[in-house]
């Protein structure tokens, strides 16, 4: 009788099967979604870039070509695409400018990654190569950079102008650029020369006039009028100013309740007590010589009543009420005074001193201006004007970018050429370096180098030039050693961009390269999306 057949265990090597299709689909979907976001803002790159009109669900309309603002207002649902929105926010906080550039570079890198993945190169290999290439790119940019001193005001203004040239309000760059430089230099602390806190520069927007009417005020400006319902003063010279955080009004009970008074004599007594209470407070205020009161906005009860305004007017005290809580720190730093939280602590040494406090008519409203402040802190105020709200908001965003550019130069005192010159030089040097590397790494670095050409290509495209001819000519010039050759979009040709005064801080470019690479590496290494309910 024949022995029963024994089925031998099959080799696990032949049976094992891993489904990589899903992982590839997820990676592909992420890259496509992120590239769609990059393509949306690509047309707004450079001085000839287009503007976007954003209409929000609340009916608000914004016209801008600031990358961070456009992406922030976009409703992005795909998780990988949201990473590009966060990327532009990171660039905005790190450098303030280059928010469109960083997203465009990330989109170009993702496009190259897609072709590398389809060639069968592993995502980890691509990721490591991109990291090495970004470190090399920062070294190349640093070698290209020109040192700048803060005393060289012209170079700082050129850099701020380059930032403003791509904005809606670019025609006002000759006014806004010097203003941004002066504002930043006025708040630089000699004890910490490398640090600038932009919260020390307050931007006040006022409708009416044109951007030409924008001015820098050495003092304080409040976008509100003086409380002179009872005929109080609207102009005070040799002002002694108090910033108070308590209310000049009758006290209320802590709990919600009502008191019924049936006897009119008791009612008279209550009113008399209220009057005496307010009078007592105002006498203490007047005794210190104070003649200007800045009263913090109160959420519990009225900061002032009609009765207290009447007595303050009789005491010839100018009153500005409803000062926002977050403005108090800036005001006290500017006037070198202390906020007063209780009437018992109202002392003369806590007051600020100024030559003039006055109410001025501006546009369709009024403002309060405080000038000639004694012992003024290292702060400054910029009063921005505009013919409509859209221009006003864009002028503020543009001025913020210019301030950030000057801050970058204070932090890292190097300038490099603009106009696509650094990107083409990077592309050329990284392309040469890729030939020295072996294996897959060389392929990946070469792709990184090709991706950087997207910036000059897009600049030329947005300016209505022939991008292929321009980029080819640019490569040729750089190969001949003209490292500062860039695209002059006004003349429509390639010139030495440093001589054309198109410069930008080194920090803007290095930050854009490193942040874009970091974001792309993260998107590359995602192979699945897990939704948790």
């Amino acid at each position: 009788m024949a022995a029963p057949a024994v089925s031998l265990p099959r080799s696990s090597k032949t049976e094992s099967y891993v489904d990589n299709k899903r992982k590839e689909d997820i990676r592909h979907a992420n890259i496509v979604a992120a590239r769609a976001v990059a393509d949306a803002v690509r047309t707004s790159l450079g001085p000839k870039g287009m503007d976007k009109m954003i209409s929000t669900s609340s009916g608000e309309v914004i016209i801008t070509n600031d990358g961070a603002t456009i992406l922030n207002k976009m409703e992005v649902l795909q998780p990988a695409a949201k990473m590009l929105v966060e990327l532009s926010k990171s660039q905005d906080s790190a450098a303030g400018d280059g928010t469109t550039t960083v997203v465009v570079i990330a989109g170009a890198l993702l496009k190259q990654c897609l072709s590398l993945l389809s060639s069968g190169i592993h995502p980890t290999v691509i990721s490591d190569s991109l990291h090495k290439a970004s470190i090399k790119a920062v070294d190349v940019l640093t070698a290209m950079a020109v040192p700048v001193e803060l005393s060289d005001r012209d170079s700082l203004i050129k850099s701020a102008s380059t930032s403003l040239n791509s904005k809606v309000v670019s025609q006002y760059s000759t006014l806004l650029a010097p203003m941004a430089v002066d504002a930043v230099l006025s708040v630089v602390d000699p004890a910490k020369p490398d640090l600038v806190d932009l919260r020390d520069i307050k931007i006040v927007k006022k409708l009416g006039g044109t951007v030409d009417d924008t001015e820098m005020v050495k003092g304080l400006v409040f976008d509100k009028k003086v409380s002179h319902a009872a005929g109080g003063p609207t102009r005070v010279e040799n002002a002694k100013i108090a910033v108070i955080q308590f209310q000049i009004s009758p006290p209320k009970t802590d709990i919600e309740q009502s008191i019924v008074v049936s006897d009119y004599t008791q009612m008279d007594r209550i009113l008399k007590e209220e009057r005496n209470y307010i009078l007592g407070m105002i006498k203490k205020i007047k005794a210190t010589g104070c003649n200007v009161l800045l009263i913090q906005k109160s959420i519990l009860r009225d900061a002032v009543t009609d009765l207290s305004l009447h007595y303050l007017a009789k005491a010839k005290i100018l009153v500005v009420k409803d000062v926002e809580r977050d403005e108090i720190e800036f005001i006290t730093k500017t006037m070198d005074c202390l906020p007063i939280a209780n009437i018992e602590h109202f002392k003369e040494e806590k007051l600020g001193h100024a030559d003039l406090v006055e109410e001025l008519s501006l546009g369709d409203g009024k403002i309060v201006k405080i000038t000639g402040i004694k012992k003024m802190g290292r702060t400054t105020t910029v009063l921005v004007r505009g013919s409509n709200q859209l221009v006003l908001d864009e002028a503020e965003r543009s001025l913020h970018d210019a301030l950030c550019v000057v801050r970058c130069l204070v932090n890292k005192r190097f300038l490099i050429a603009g106009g696509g010159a650094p990107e083409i030089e990077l592309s050329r040097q990284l392309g040469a370096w890729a030939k020295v590397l072996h294996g897959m790494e060389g392929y990946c670095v070469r792709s990184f180098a090709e991706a950087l050409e997207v910036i000059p290509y897009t600049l030329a495209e947005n300016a209505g030039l022939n991008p292929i001819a321009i980029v080819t000519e640019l490569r040729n010039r750089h190969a001949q050693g003209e490292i500062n050759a860039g695209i002059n979009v006004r003349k429509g040709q390639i010139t030495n961009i440093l001589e054309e005064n198109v410069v930008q801080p080194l920090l803007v470019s290095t930050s854009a390269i490193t942040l874009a690479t970091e974001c792309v590496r993260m998107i590359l290494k995602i192979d699945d999306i897990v939704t948790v309910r």
Side-chain angles (χ1 to χ4, degrees):
M1 188 178 167
V6 180
S7 62
L8 294 168
R10 288 185 181 179
S11 165
S12 59
K13 280 184 181 177
T14 55
E15 281 296 296
S16 69
Y17 172 71
V18 181
D19 179 18
N20 284 319
K21 187 81 182 82
R22 175 173 163 74
K23 291 178 181 180
E24 283 170 19
D25 287 348
I26 293 286
R27 204 172 278 124
H28 187 271
N30 282 346
I31 291 173
V32 167
R35 276 185 62 200
V37 171
D39 289 340
V41 294
R42 219 186 93 173
T43 53
S44 65
L45 182 76
K48 298 281 184 178
M50 296 291 141
D51 304 330
K52 308 285 180 199
M53 180 181 270
I54 304 159
S55 180
T56 63
S57 54
S58 61
E60 182 194 4
V61 175
I62 299 165
I63 297 172
T64 183
N65 63 3
D66 179 52
T69 308
I70 296 165
L71 293 172
N72 209 13
K73 298 290 178 185
M74 277 168 67
E75 284 188 19
V76 181
L77 300 176
Q78 217 273 355
K82 278 183 184 174
M83 287 169 71
L84 258 71
V85 177
E86 296 298 321
L87 172 66
S88 74
K89 283 185 190 172
S90 301
Q91 176 72 2
D92 200 29
S93 59
D97 197 21
T99 47
T100 311
T101 305
V102 72
V103 176
V104 171
I105 290 174
L109 283 173
L110 287 168
K111 183 182 177 183
Q112 293 291 342
C113 289
L114 214 51
S115 62
L116 290 171
L117 288 168
S118 61
S119 301
I121 302 175
H122 196 274
T124 308
V125 175
I126 301 171
S127 172
D128 292 345
S129 303
L130 292 184
H131 180 57
K132 280 185 182 176
S134 74
I135 292 169
K136 176 79 173 173
V138 171
D139 292 342
V140 172
L141 285 173
T142 310
M144 281 178 70
V146 180
V148 65
E149 290 300 321
L150 293 188
S151 55
D152 185 3
R153 189 165 176 271
D154 284 350
S155 292
L156 301 183
I157 291 172
K158 286 171 193 171
S159 191
S161 295
T162 304
S163 160
L164 289 166
N165 281 343
S166 62
K167 306 293 182 217
V168 176
V169 292
S170 58
Q171 66 268 36
Y172 302 108
S173 61
T174 49
L175 169 76
L176 296 178
M179 199 176 285
V181 172
D182 293 339
V184 172
L185 294 182
S186 66
V187 301
V188 173
D189 188 350
K192 299 171 187 168
D194 293 342
L195 290 174
V196 174
D197 188 353
L198 289 185
R199 284 172 297 189
D200 292 340
I201 301 168
K202 186 182 174 195
I203 298 176
V204 179
K205 296 183 290 182
K206 192 69 181 166
L207 205 58
T210 64
V211 180
D212 275 324
D213 301 323
T214 298
E215 60 174 321
M216 197 170 100
V217 179
K218 204 82 177 137
L220 283 169
V221 175
F222 296 98
D223 184 16
K224 42 177 68 75
K225 59 183 182 181
V226 170
S227 301
H228 47 67
T234 58
R235 176 189 167 95
V236 174
E237 291 183 9
N238 294 325
K240 289 185 177 180
I241 306 160
V243 181
I244 65 169
Q245 296 178 303
F246 57 88
Q247 295 86 16
I248 308 176
S249 59
K252 282 186 177 179
T253 52
D254 288 341
I255 52 173
E256 194 67 45
Q257 63 182 41
S258 54
I259 301 165
V260 179
V261 181
S262 53
D263 187 4
Y264 73 88
T265 55
Q266 294 281 25
M267 190 70 203
D268 278 353
R269 192 174 152 206
I270 289 170
L271 291 171
K272 192 177 178 184
E273 282 295 324
E274 278 188 8
R275 253 196 318 274
N276 289 341
Y277 175 79
I278 290 168
L279 261 174
M281 291 177 87
I282 291 169
K283 279 177 181 173
K284 282 183 181 176
I285 291 168
K286 191 66 182 169
T288 61
C290 170
N291 53 13
V292 176
L293 273 186
L294 305 178
I295 306 174
Q296 183 180 301
K297 198 172 190 175
S298 173
I299 53 170
L300 298 172
R301 66 176 201 258
D302 295 332
V304 282
T305 60
D306 288 343
L307 185 63
S308 58
L309 280 175
H310 169 73
Y311 285 133
L312 285 163
K314 278 198 163 184
K316 294 283 185 285
I317 296 174
L318 184 147
V319 179
V320 179
K321 62 176 185 177
D322 293 342
V323 175
E324 294 295 336
R325 189 178 292 263
D326 52 3
E327 286 181 22
I328 296 293
E329 188 184 345
F330 180 83
I331 293 165
T332 51
K333 185 174 182 179
T334 304
M335 295 196 301
D336 193 27
C337 65
L338 293 168
I340 304 164
N342 194 302
I343 188 67
E344 301 303 324
H345 304 146
F346 209 105
K347 303 280 191 295
E348 193 177 350
E349 58 266 22
K350 291 189 176 182
L351 304 181
H353 300 269
D355 290 342
L356 182 64
V357 178
E358 62 179 335
E359 181 185 74
L360 300 169
S361 290
L362 214 63
D364 58 348
K366 292 185 175 179
I367 61 164
V368 178
K369 194 185 271 190
I370 302 175
T371 49
I373 297 169
K374 310 276 195 301
K375 293 195 290 182
M376 183 172 167
R378 290 191 172 277
T379 63
T380 193
T381 305
V382 179
L383 179 61
V384 178
R385 307 291 304 283
S387 55
N388 61 46
Q389 198 61 45
L390 300 175
V391 171
L392 204 57
D393 291 342
E394 183 61 9
E396 185 203 15
R397 282 189 289 269
S398 305
L399 189 59
H400 173 262
D401 278 5
L403 291 168
C404 288
V405 162
V406 185
R407 184 190 65 181
C408 284
L409 288 172
V410 173
N411 293 354
K412 199 170 187 178
R413 297 175 188 182
F414 287 96
L415 279 172
I416 57 167
E423 286 81 11
I424 279 287
E425 185 61 21
L426 275 180
S427 179
R428 190 185 70 79
Q429 292 204 28
L430 289 175
W433 185 52
K435 291 174 184 173
V436 180
L437 297 170
H438 299 291
M440 300 293 185
E441 215 171 50
Y443 275 111
C444 298
V445 172
R446 192 167 68 209
S447 294
F448 184 99
E450 285 172 16
L452 291 174
E453 288 185 3
V454 73
I455 297 296
Y457 187 93
T458 307
L459 282 175
E461 198 174 40
N462 290 349
L465 307 172
N466 182 343
I468 296 170
I470 289 282
V471 173
T472 308
E473 174 63 17
L474 204 52
R475 273 201 219 116
N476 185 26
R477 290 280 195 92
H478 278 257
Q480 289 169 11
E482 296 179 37
I483 62 165
N484 292 322
I487 304 168
N488 186 333
V489 291
R490 286 199 179 84
K491 293 180 180 173
Q493 60 191 58
I494 291 161
T495 56
N496 185 329
I497 218 75
L498 272 187
E499 290 172 5
E500 299 287 340
N501 299 332
V502 180
V503 287
Q504 62 187 33
L506 173 65
L507 191 61
V508 170
S509 291
T510 53
S511 170
I513 298 279
T514 50
L515 290 175
T517 309
E518 197 173 85
C519 181
V520 168
R521 289 179 68 211
M522 196 172 278
I523 291 172
L524 258 184
K525 297 191 88 172
I526 298 167
D527 69 351
D528 209 344
I529 297 174
V530 181
T531 309
V532 181
R533 298 251 180 260

